[in-house]
């Protein structure tokens, strides 16, 4: 479009601004009539490094009242609850896509699938991924017709937490760690493949993956 924007929505936590926003982006932002930060604050509270960014926006949109409560404690601007939209629609059945994805991951056709998604590696400890793998191993589900799939990305940066998680997975029975970026279609296919979605922590303030799994009629253990 041409001209100045009436509204710019930064659906990007302040931690990522420096690495994602370009000079061209900042030029657009600086000329906008109103700038909104669409931010998520979780149970750990708002990082101190976010605070300087409050001076660069006019309003905050939070996805839940819980997140808004965290943000309003230190915000210098209005905070509004703007719920996320989860499309409650089942994907079309595609047996070939399911077979291909199973083969790619290495899951036998007769095995049930428990899925957990994390955005690592800085979230590995907070999201209790190791706890889920340990519980799966202790339950002996891996020897009784089930596999655990932990979907993440960027485990090598920094390397130590990711290596520890992958080593724990290698020592367990039927645990698969997928460390790569999936587009929306492949994430839908992975969720469709799952029989159960597991969320072994209380740090997901918006609960998008949980809501998405439920919209696809998946049983959720949270």
């Amino acid at each position: 479009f041409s001209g100045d924007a009436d509204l710019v929505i930064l659906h990007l936590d302040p931690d990522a601004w420096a690495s994602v926003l370009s000079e061209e982006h900042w030029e657009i932002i600086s000329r906008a009539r109103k700038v909104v930060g669409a931010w998520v604050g979780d149970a750990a509270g708002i990082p101190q490094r976010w605070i300087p960014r409050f001076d660069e926006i006019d309003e905050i949109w939070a996805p839940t009242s819980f997140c808004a409560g965290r943000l309003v404690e230190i915000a210098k601007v209005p905070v509004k609850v703007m719920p996320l939209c989860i499309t409650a629609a089942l994907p079309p059945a595609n047996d070939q896509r399911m077979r291909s994805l199973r083969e790619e991951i290495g899951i036998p056709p007769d095995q049930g699938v428990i899925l957990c998604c994390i955005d690592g590696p800085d979230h590995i400890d907070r999201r209790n991924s190791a706890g889920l793998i340990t519980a799966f191993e202790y339950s002996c589900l891996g020897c009784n017709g089930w596999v655990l799939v932990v979907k993440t990305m960027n485990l090598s940066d920094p390397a130590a937490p990711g290596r520890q998680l992958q080593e724990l997975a290698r020592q367990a029975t039927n645990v698969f760690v997928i460390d790569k970026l999936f587009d929306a279609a492949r994430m839908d296919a992975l969720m469709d493949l799952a029989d159960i979605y597991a969320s072994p922590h209380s740090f997901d303030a918006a609960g998008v993956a949980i809501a998405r799994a439920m919209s696809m009629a998946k049983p959720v253990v949270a």
Side-chain angles (χ1 to χ4, degrees):
F1 62 90
S2 61
D4 296 341
D6 294 299
L7 174 67
V8 166
I9 302 171
L10 291 171
H11 187 38
L12 188 69
D13 286 343
D15 290 353
W17 285 15
S19 60
V20 175
L21 297 178
S22 67
E23 291 184 8
E24 182 181 2
H25 292 137
W26 280 115
E27 184 66 22
I28 294 171
I29 294 167
S30 67
R31 297 199 311 266
R33 293 178 59 188
K34 186 175 185 178
V35 179
V36 168
W39 295 347
V40 178
D42 63 22
I46 306 303
Q48 288 295 309
R49 58 186 178 275
W50 284 26
I51 294 178
R53 298 299 191 182
F54 282 82
D55 295 328
E56 302 178 50
I57 58 173
D58 302 303
E59 189 169 295
I60 297 173
W61 292 353
T64 67
S65 57
F66 174 82
C67 295
R70 289 294 191 181
L71 289 158
V72 77
E73 293 173 357
I74 59 173
K76 304 174 183 179
V77 296
V79 179
K80 297 181 180 179
V81 177
M82 191 69 67
L84 298 173
C85 180
I86 304 295
T87 304
L90 296 175
N94 189 324
D95 292 341
Q96 180 57 46
R97 183 178 67 176
M98 294 300 98
R99 285 195 296 269
S100 297
L101 191 55
R102 278 181 174 269
E103 290 173 2
E104 178 184 335
I105 300 171
I107 303 173
D110 58 343
Q111 301 279 288
V113 178
I114 301 172
L115 174 66
C116 173
C117 299
I118 60 170
D119 185 10
D122 52 329
H123 290 170
I124 286 176
D125 291 336
R126 294 174 61 207
R127 306 293 182 179
N128 197 25
S129 313
L132 178 61
I133 294 174
T134 301
F136 181 81
E137 179 73 357
Y138 183 78
S139 70
C140 296
L141 286 172
C143 299
N144 289 280
W146 288 87
V147 303
L148 172 63
V149 176
V150 179
K151 169 63 181 72
T152 185
M153 58 184 181
N154 299 323
L155 284 185
S156 59
D157 183 23
R163 283 199 304 268
Q164 292 168 2
L165 183 70
Q166 290 174 320
E167 181 59 29
L168 183 64
R170 280 192 290 268
Q171 293 175 3
T173 303
N174 274 352
V175 175
F176 299 85
V177 176
I178 302 175
D179 179 33
K180 62 177 67 173
L181 180 65
F182 277 12
D183 61 18
R186 283 178 65 75
M187 284 303 299
D188 279 351
L190 184 62
M191 188 70 79
D192 198 20
L193 179 65
D195 296 288
I196 295 172
Y197 185 80
S199 180
H201 59 85
S202 58
F203 277 100
D204 196 348
V208 175
I210 292 172
R212 183 62 180 150
M214 293 173 68
S215 79
M216 295 174 68
K218 302 296 179 179
V220 172
V221 179

